[in-house]
Amino acid sequence: MKKSKEINYRKLTRNNVWVGLVAFFAAVCIHVVFLLATSILLTYVAESKIQSEIDSIRDMVALYEEGNVPADEVYALLDKKGREYYITDGDGRILHSKGQIEAFDSDGSISWQSFNDNVTYYSNSKIGFVKSGVGDGMVINLLDVFKEVRGKISEVDFNIESDETMVTMPIWQEVLLSDGQTHFYAKASVNLTVKDLLIWLVSYLTISILIAIVIIILIIAAIVNHVRNRRTLAVLFGDSVTGGKNINWFIYYGNQIIRKKKNRDRKYAVVSIELVKYNLYCVCHSLSAGEELLRAINECLSKNIMKKELCARGTSAEFVLLLKYTDEARIQKRVSHIISQLEKLSAEHKFGFQAGITIVDPSKTGEVLKNGRIHMDIKREFNYAKVAAGALSSTDESGVALLDDKMIEDQKWVDTVCEKLQSALDNEEFVVYYQPKYDPRTDKLTGAEALIRWQSPEYGLVPPGRIIPIFEQNGFITQIDHYMIRHVARDQKKWLDEGKSCVPVSVNVSRAHFAEDDLADQICALVDAEGAPHELIEIELTESAFFDDKKAMLNVIAGLKKCGFAVSMDDFGSGYSSLNSLKDMPLDVLKLDAEFFRGDGGDGRAQIVVSEAIRLAKNLNMRTVAEGVEVKEQVDFLAKEGCDMIQGYYYAKPMPAEEFVTRI
Ligand code: C2E
Ligand code: CA
Ligand code: CA
């Protein structure tokens, strides 16, 4: 999976709890800030009140200091102000007092020295503190204000116009008079009224509500975002057909599992399970019936997986599983069991399911990264599982195949061949080997078969068994067969020109050609282009080619014969309807398959079949060639039975043209 894609998936799948947390902390912080702000407002109210109190105390001090009135009269004047105060001399003796005569509270004194004014302030209330000079401000302790208000709340008339005092903050002022001895103490009481508190409360609530609205909006946005993420994920990772998960999901979470540090010592199996001939099923029933079936398969698979195992649909009717792995036998048994359950999905229809398994061993396969995670790609493993399943594709039956090293080697080889075939053809790296055919009665050379070899600069002499099946698969075989016909015709022409007594050489023509109805003309043109006589070229058709299209087959054979090419049936006896083909096809040569001459059970049954086959061919006016004959007794037996030719190691192995030419 591409890194950027993976990062995006990770962002989408991450839980967005932090958005909520951030919103919550923001709420708390903003609230505290506004609580402070409103306390400043309250302080401001209190401060303006205290200012007038202080002014009046200063007036009292000024009056006392003027000293041009007898002391008693001054005291009487001061007493009239209705304020608590007291005056002490240099020794601390009280000269005069009214009301409370202690400037500070018993539980401790909180006092501030003013620097500019030679005045000290004392507060015997915890509600409001003077910070430094009176003009510099004060701090309101909101908690204590609340306590105070709570005590009185039941008695108070909450009227905005009400001047009723709810909170009193006594602040004492001590002034050292100009004689440097006498101290004047006066109490200033700052009162917060119902009106003050209501103003404060309303502003506090308004701001709080505003903040709450902002936070709610933030939280809603976070939730909406979260829901949208979930929906996006459902689209990205969901499978619209089965309602389960899709391959993107599998790859993303599969990688998470196998790459995890703590899973390094665990093993997993990636399993690809495909329903065989799904498309045909849809054609015969309906697409919706097919999709219904896929849903049922998904359900069945999901039921069969355990915690921390995955199941998803790949493409079409292919599903993929990530299973925990313990050992080979157990995983094969488990997958077979799953398949047996899938097969039971329909009582009327017999379905085939083919599974490929690959084992994922992070400790072996994966490269360990610096962060301890393992670098592996489950997509690659899935592909391996598919390759394993591909080994079963020659049949429609259910089956389980485990990927082994040979399979990978084989696939790599197929890939190499496919890459190199064109350049090999252009560079004439394909060479013609000739395997002579001898008459067992006279031991004379009477023919040969042309067999391909790939003389590769990299891989040496590659036998046809390693390339022909690949060419048949990818269609290159038609070019190869043409190449062979051209080269054989060229060799024959050359040898004729050299005065050699040439024998007919048979060339294999693959079944892939029979779709072309002008095959006979093509071959004819190829041979003519080289100028070789047609009677020196024989065409071998393998038995399996006879099944495809009888009519086309007959056409081709008729065409070839018309051109003067002998036509032989290769590998007779290796299939099961050879007799049937023989009945319809006017062939010239019957090649008995090499299997007839491998390990006769000893009771002579093979000999009976061979001699009857030779007799049958004779009655049909066909010549016989026995292939794969390796021992003298077989040669003698075939000579006795009247077999026309033997192509086998007893006489000669396939050989290069230069060697073959010495035999003719
Ligand atoms: P085939 O046409 O049946 O060729 C006979 C194969 O049997 C040859 O294998 C030959 O070497 C082998 N053989 C012959 N006598 C004996 C014997 O006594 N003992 C044993 N053990 N083997 C013997 P080869 O050359 O490996 O070819 C294998 C197959 O490849 C051929 O089977 C044919 O089907 C295919 N093939 C080879 N060349 C071509 C070609 O040019 N075109 C096509 N379409 N197929 C080809
Ligand atoms: Ca052949
Ligand atoms: Ca053969």
Side-chain angles (χ1 to χ4, degrees):
M1 192 181 286
K2 258 177 107 181
K3 198 128 196 103
S4 59
K5 202 168 163 189
E6 207 174 314
I7 291 170
N8 282 337
Y9 283 169
R10 202 174 307 149
K11 278 185 189 158
L12 278 172
T13 50
R14 195 175 291 156
N15 248 329
N16 295 322
V17 213
W18 60 270
V19 180
L21 280 177
V22 168
F24 179 74
F25 279 117
V28 172
C29 293
I30 299 174
H31 231 95
V32 168
V33 167
F34 278 95
L35 211 58
L36 283 176
T38 48
S39 109
I40 289 168
L41 176 81
L42 206 54
T43 309
Y44 174 76
V45 171
E47 242 174 40
S48 55
K49 288 184 180 225
I50 207 171
Q51 194 58 51
S52 62
E53 287 278 287
I54 300 292
D55 289 348
S56 116
I57 289 171
R58 278 175 204 273
D59 289 349
M60 285 171 78
V61 172
L63 187 66
Y64 181 76
E65 279 216 295
E66 267 173 22
N68 50 7
V69 198
D72 283 351
E73 282 179 36
V74 174
Y75 292 146
L77 278 171
L78 293 177
D79 286 356
K80 267 192 206 155
K81 301 272 180 189
R83 186 179 297 282
E84 287 178 77
Y85 75 99
Y86 62 100
I87 303 165
T88 59
D89 65 9
D91 298 328
R93 274 192 303 268
I94 293 172
L95 300 174
H96 179 79
S97 73
K98 183 174 182 264
Q100 189 189 338
I101 50 162
E102 195 135 29
F104 40 85
D105 205 60
S106 53
D107 72 345
S109 51
I110 308 155
S111 58
W112 287 269
Q113 183 74 46
S114 162
F115 298 103
N116 52 4
D117 216 0
N118 210 19
V119 175
T120 308
Y121 299 98
Y122 303 92
S123 168
N124 46 9
S125 150
K126 284 193 275 169
I127 294 167
F129 302 134
V130 177
K131 258 202 308 195
S132 62
V134 171
D136 284 359
M138 65 188 296
V139 176
I140 300 274
N141 185 340
L142 280 173
L143 269 180
D144 286 316
V145 170
F146 281 132
K147 269 189 214 157
E148 192 100 335
V149 171
R150 203 170 54 202
K152 292 185 185 162
I153 213 140
S154 53
E155 310 147 19
V156 174
D157 159 29
F158 274 99
N159 179 349
I160 186 86
E161 296 299 329
S162 170
D163 274 341
E164 201 166 336
T165 301
M166 296 222 32
V167 180
T168 305
M169 293 179 285
I171 296 168
W172 283 83
Q173 190 182 178
E174 177 197 352
V175 183
L176 180 63
L177 299 191
S178 45
D179 61 6
Q181 302 279 321
T182 317
H183 290 261
F184 190 99
Y185 299 89
K187 184 181 181 185
S189 282
V190 182
N191 298 326
L192 291 177
T193 61
V194 171
K195 192 171 153 189
D196 297 329
L197 289 173
L198 280 179
I199 290 172
W200 171 77
L201 197 69
V202 167
S203 59
Y204 173 71
L205 283 180
T206 315
I207 291 169
S208 295
I209 289 169
L210 283 177
I211 296 166
I213 290 173
V214 169
I215 287 163
I216 289 171
I217 290 173
L218 274 179
I219 291 175
I220 290 176
I223 293 172
V224 167
N225 187 29
H226 181 74
V227 171
R228 198 176 297 153
N229 271 2
R230 295 278 119 189
R231 283 204 194 122
T232 314
L233 277 179
V235 172
L236 271 179
F237 285 159
D239 181 42
S240 56
V241 175
T242 61
K245 301 294 187 209
N246 67 14
I247 190 70
N248 288 339
W249 176 86
F250 181 83
I251 292 169
Y252 178 71
Y253 284 103
N255 274 335
Q256 302 268 312
I257 292 176
I258 62 170
R259 288 177 186 173
K260 232 181 226 156
K261 205 167 162 181
K262 69 169 199 222
N263 290 346
R264 194 186 308 170
D265 297 324
R266 302 209 173 120
K267 286 186 189 170
Y268 296 90
V270 174
V271 184
S272 145
I273 296 188
E274 184 162 17
L275 166 63
V276 180
K277 296 207 166 157
Y278 167 69
N279 294 327
L280 268 181
Y281 179 83
C282 291
V283 169
C284 301
H285 296 79
S286 67
L287 198 61
S288 59
E291 292 187 345
E292 183 63 41
L293 179 62
L294 294 182
R295 271 191 288 281
I297 294 172
N298 186 64
E299 204 172 302
C300 177
L301 290 174
S302 304
K303 273 188 203 149
N304 271 287
I305 59 169
M306 297 187 283
K307 229 176 133 199
K308 300 218 165 138
E309 294 187 332
L310 308 178
C311 161
R313 187 171 75 106
T315 49
S316 191
E318 177 196 42
F319 290 80
V320 56
L321 308 176
L322 179 72
L323 304 180
K324 290 172 192 155
Y325 174 87
T326 47
D327 63 73
E328 236 178 82
R330 224 176 275 177
I331 197 81
Q332 273 179 315
K333 202 169 152 205
R334 190 171 163 203
V335 175
S336 302
H337 174 73
I338 292 176
I339 288 184
S340 70
Q341 297 213 331
L342 289 172
E343 283 174 330
K344 286 183 203 141
L345 282 179
S346 162
E348 310 93 57
H349 201 98
K350 187 184 178 310
F351 293 113
F353 291 91
Q354 296 180 340
I357 307 174
T358 183
I359 295 153
V360 183
D361 183 351
S363 66
K364 261 196 203 158
T365 359
E367 172 204 344
V368 181
L369 301 178
K370 271 194 199 136
N371 59 9
R373 280 168 76 86
I374 299 149
H375 182 71
M376 293 187 76
D377 192 358
I378 201 152
K379 220 160 133 186
R380 195 185 71 150
E381 306 301 328
F382 177 35
N383 195 44
Y384 280 164
K386 289 208 262 193
V387 168
L392 306 164
S393 62
S394 54
T395 115
D396 293 346
E397 296 281 300
S398 291
V400 179
L402 198 89
L403 185 85
D404 55 28
D405 293 346
K406 191 183 165 288
M407 251 181 214
I408 299 178
E409 278 311 305
D410 287 352
Q411 286 307 314
K412 284 188 177 159
W413 173 251
V414 169
D415 186 65
T416 308
V417 172
C418 291
E419 266 177 17
K420 309 232 174 222
L421 49 84
Q422 194 58 52
S423 64
L425 188 78
D426 297 342
N427 301 336
E428 305 240 322
E429 288 169 17
F430 297 113
V431 291
V432 185
Y433 267 49
Y434 291 89
Q435 186 176 27
K437 295 174 192 165
Y438 283 88
D439 185 332
R441 293 157 298 201
T442 59
D443 283 345
K444 273 211 179 113
L445 180 81
T446 48
E449 177 175 5
L451 295 158
I452 194 169
R453 301 289 182 265
W454 177 24
Q455 184 64 65
S456 159
E458 264 167 274
Y459 308 103
L461 194 69
V462 183
R466 297 203 67 201
I467 48 174
I468 293 293
I470 302 172
F471 295 160
E472 281 179 337
Q473 194 85 38
N474 68 10
F476 190 67
I477 192 72
T478 45
Q479 289 192 58
I480 282 296
D481 286 347
H482 286 177
Y483 177 95
M484 290 293 283
I485 292 169
R486 204 179 311 122
H487 278 75
V488 170
R490 195 174 298 166
D491 283 346
Q492 293 280 53
K493 172 79 170 76
K494 191 174 118 214
W495 294 329
L496 267 186
D497 292 347
E498 286 167 8
K500 307 259 162 45
S501 50
C502 291
V503 288
V505 173
S506 60
V507 187
N508 293 284
V509 171
S510 160
R511 62 186 298 181
H513 290 278
F514 291 96
E516 307 158 24
D517 32 299
D518 62 338
L519 179 65
D521 296 335
Q522 288 179 31
I523 293 176
C524 204
L526 284 170
V527 176
D528 289 346
E530 301 299 331
H534 293 188
E535 62 274 13
L536 288 185
I537 306 289
E538 210 175 281
I539 303 298
E540 285 192 20
L541 306 176
T542 59
E543 202 189 322
S544 57
F546 289 81
F547 293 119
D548 277 1
D549 181 348
K550 211 166 179 181
K551 211 167 143 222
M553 200 73 210
L554 273 170
N555 267 342
V556 170
I557 293 170
L560 288 170
K561 291 186 69 138
K562 209 169 112 201
C563 292
F565 298 112
V567 185
S568 61
M569 183 195 270
D570 202 0
D571 304 335
F572 174 78
S574 65
Y576 54 87
S577 85
S578 332
L579 287 175
N580 208 357
S581 318
L582 270 189
K583 168 178 77 95
D584 304 311
M585 311 283 168
L587 299 161
D588 306 289
V589 182
L590 192 68
K591 290 191 81 175
L592 300 176
D593 192 68
E595 264 321 293
F596 285 120
F597 310 101
R598 302 273 163 273
D600 181 2
D603 53 4
R605 293 175 74 92
Q607 289 195 344
I608 297 170
V609 177
V610 169
S611 59
E612 289 308 319
I614 293 171
R615 200 185 325 279
L616 175 73
K618 282 206 183 328
N619 288 337
L620 289 170
N621 266 332
M622 293 168 81
R623 279 170 287 135
T624 42
V625 180
E627 266 188 311
V629 177
E630 294 182 358
V631 292
K632 172 109 175 56
E633 295 80 70
Q634 288 169 342
V635 177
D636 294 342
F637 166 74
L638 288 164
K640 186 172 83 62
E641 294 301 318
C643 175
D644 300 296
M645 281 176 269
I646 285 180
Q647 176 188 345
Y649 289 178
Y650 174 78
Y651 284 109
K653 287 191 172 177
M655 58 189 73
E658 308 78 63
E659 195 184 327
F660 175 67
V661 78
T662 62
R663 299 203 177 209
I664 54 179

